[in-house]
Amino acid sequence: MTNGRVNPAQRLEDQGIEGLGNVYYNLIEPALVEAAVKRGEGKLGLGGTFLVDTGVHTGRSPKDKFVVRTPSVENDIWWENNKPLSPESFDVLYADMIAHMKGGDYFVQDLYAGADPTYRLDVRLVTELAWHGLFIRHLLRRPAREELDGFMPEFTIINCPSFKADAERHGVRSETVIALNFDKKLILIGGTEYAGENKKSVFSLLNYMLPAKGVMPMHCSANHAPGNPEDAAVFFGLSGTGKTTLSADPARILIGDDEHGWSDKGSFNFEGGCYAKTISLSPEAEPEIYATTSRFSTVIENMVWDEDTLELDFEDISKTANMRCAYPLDFISNASETGVAGHPRNIVMLTCDAFGVLPPIARLSPAQAMYHFLSGFTAKVAGTEKGVTEPEPTFSTCFGAPFMPRRPEVYGKLLQEKIRQHGASCWLVNTGWTGGAYGVGSRMPIKATRALLTAALDGSLHSVQFRKDPNFGFEVPVAVPGVDVALLDPRQTWADKAAYDAQAAKLVGMFADNFAQYAPYIDDDVKAAALG
């Protein structure tokens, strides 16, 4: 049975998905909120937000993600990073999931990824939960209503949290599964209510498809100068490095929060919304993001709230530290209306160095940029996870290893070529510790970080004097107006200089040990950069 305001060009029955109950096609936000509340999927919050808990899974399940191993992708997939699933196991999984879904109500959203029409990917999301439809309607891009009449999805994602996989029968690891089949243009998600699996599945698709078209897919935020889309900047960074905070600069136009492409024409956002972490979110530090947490249809995920007043607690991490809100990009006043900009003039790689070794900013050569891009370094600090008692390095290649179907060097070389072709300036920015490691030193002042970034993006930083860092070989400014000169030389901020030298040597060794895996695949100039 078909329900909804749009009669699609292709129904689920046309795709061989038959026997379902009510199917609601392309409901808009009020209808999805209403359905989610009526079905008991969550609670209506202040301002008409939707409050939801995702149960056992409060984050992604990368160990349960599989790629179907077929001849067409055999030689292109990075199998050391992507678990293979046989075509036969996928077929059984698909048949069992469809059988499980029969008679149930489902919500379909026909959306697309990619603000540049040349590289647009039309995607259909079939979701068991109404609020998942709301979430993905925020996070992807919405076709005009008249476009839906002829919409034909290139890929279909079926998300059925109530379906539990059978590890032995389906060739997977647990009851949770995310399975990508590039030949059948299908993604199956089961056994998890965490909505982030939907958006990251689309990102994984683009990460596989776009390099073959000469487009660099990037796990980054991006902005551009007001009135000048040609003055674009991208910000790579793992969780906790400040990617969202630093790109959401009120003095610049926000292109996007998390996922972008870099083509021969310029840069473009993949998404239509933002999925922001809300831990310690405040109206003072991030007023625009904070304001979205009381706007109609914003999805509030895994936060603690007062049962009487419905007020959110931004400090209570008893459910998870990975609490989030999802909202459309137009909730941000200075967001780009097009999601498209020129070639990035500045590439910023963010790291949170809890070892206290890296300077607050450094200028990178193209080879050094590839080295740090492939390294994808940040650090966990004591107390963030059970058993972490001192800083621990985290290396996630390309600043997003879980979403990279191809080998890292494919993305690294593509980025290096585009940097050289378009003359982008590259910067490594440390938002971590100074004056000592975590527990001894202090967090890098956000005011200093913003001042250094402003100077980098407006070009004035190029005119100051630089020195060569003895540990990593990149260039570090000696003095920058408005920034305490002592911060620019990390060694001088340590009371015990010998302790700094030992810590620096330790970190350099960690980088070298991690980078050894890429040595057979990279050029000599990048190998030289790895030696500092």
Side-chain angles (χ1 to χ4, degrees), residues 81-340:
N81 185 61
N82 294 270
K83 293 183 178 181
L85 185 69
S86 72
E88 295 77 16
S89 292
F90 180 88
D91 289 345
V92 174
L93 177 69
Y94 176 74
D96 287 351
M97 183 177 283
I98 296 301
H100 172 85
M101 292 167 61
K102 287 190 183 302
D105 293 350
Y106 285 84
F107 298 84
V108 174
Q109 287 288 319
D110 291 326
L111 304 162
Y112 69 95
D116 185 335
T118 306
Y119 303 105
R120 166 175 163 168
L121 177 68
D122 288 345
V123 181
R124 165 166 284 182
L125 279 295
V126 182
T127 62
E128 181 180 26
L129 297 172
W131 81 264
H132 274 196
L134 177 66
F135 172 92
I136 204 63
R137 186 170 172 81
H138 288 337
L139 267 297
L140 291 186
R141 304 185 72 85
R142 296 171 292 282
R145 299 298 286 182
E146 57 271 18
E147 286 185 79
L148 291 171
D149 292 336
F151 189 95
M152 299 293 288
E154 186 171 351
F155 273 84
T156 297
I157 299 172
I158 302 174
N159 190 326
C160 184
S162 68
F163 174 80
K164 309 298 182 187
D166 182 314
E168 184 175 351
R169 176 174 170 80
H170 299 130
V172 296
R173 190 188 73 99
S174 72
E175 292 183 340
T176 301
V177 63
I178 302 98
L180 285 73
N181 191 323
F182 287 101
D183 282 13
K184 294 195 171 181
K185 299 186 182 301
L186 275 172
I187 298 177
L188 306 180
I189 304 173
T192 173
E193 293 185 25
Y194 182 67
E197 298 287 10
N198 295 299
K199 90 180 210 85
K200 289 305 184 186
S201 293
V202 177
F203 187 36
S204 296
L205 286 178
L206 293 168
N207 278 340
Y208 177 77
M209 299 170 68
L210 291 179
K213 301 177 181 180
V215 178
M216 173 65 194
M218 302 178 291
H219 185 209
C220 69
S221 56
N223 63 28
H224 69 73
N228 186 7
E230 298 305 310
D231 184 3
V234 299
F235 301 78
F236 292 100
L238 299 171
S239 181
T241 58
K243 177 163 61 78
T244 298
T245 299
L246 293 171
S247 62
D249 184 342
R252 293 175 65 85
I253 303 300
L254 179 67
I255 303 169
D257 176 63
D258 197 43
E259 300 163 5
H260 295 79
W262 187 354
S263 72
D264 289 340
K265 296 189 293 181
S267 52
F268 60 97
N269 189 5
F270 289 167
E271 301 180 294
C274 300
Y275 191 31
K277 294 186 77 168
T278 55
I279 183 171
S280 298
L281 190 65
S282 73
E284 294 77 27
E286 296 174 286
E288 296 240 34
I289 298 176
Y290 184 87
T292 69
T293 63
S294 59
R295 289 195 61 170
F296 177 76
S297 82
T298 292
V299 175
I300 306 293
E301 195 177 72
N302 295 319
M303 287 190 70
V304 173
W305 66 83
D306 186 286
E307 290 291 342
D308 296 320
T309 67
L310 298 179
E311 291 184 359
L312 301 171
D313 189 330
F314 293 89
E315 303 301 329
D316 190 333
I317 60 171
S318 57
K319 292 180 181 178
T320 177
N322 190 39
M323 49 195 190
R324 292 177 179 265
C325 63
Y327 52 89
L329 198 60
D330 60 19
F331 278 14
I332 304 298
S333 63
N334 65 326
S336 166
E337 292 184 2
T338 66
V340 176

Side-chain angles (χ1 to χ4, degrees), residues 53-68:
D53 292 340
T54 61
V56 121
H57 293 283
T58 57
R60 290 179 298 99
S61 300
K63 293 181 180 178
D64 294 306
K65 184 177 179 182
F66 297 83
V67 174
V68 178

Side-chain angles (χ1 to χ4, degrees), residues 487-509:
L487 286 175
L488 297 170
D489 188 348
R491 189 174 188 271
Q492 297 308 311
T493 66
W494 283 52
D496 186 340
K497 305 298 188 287
Y500 172 85
D501 293 338
Q503 187 84 313
K506 179 181 177 182
L507 185 60
V508 169

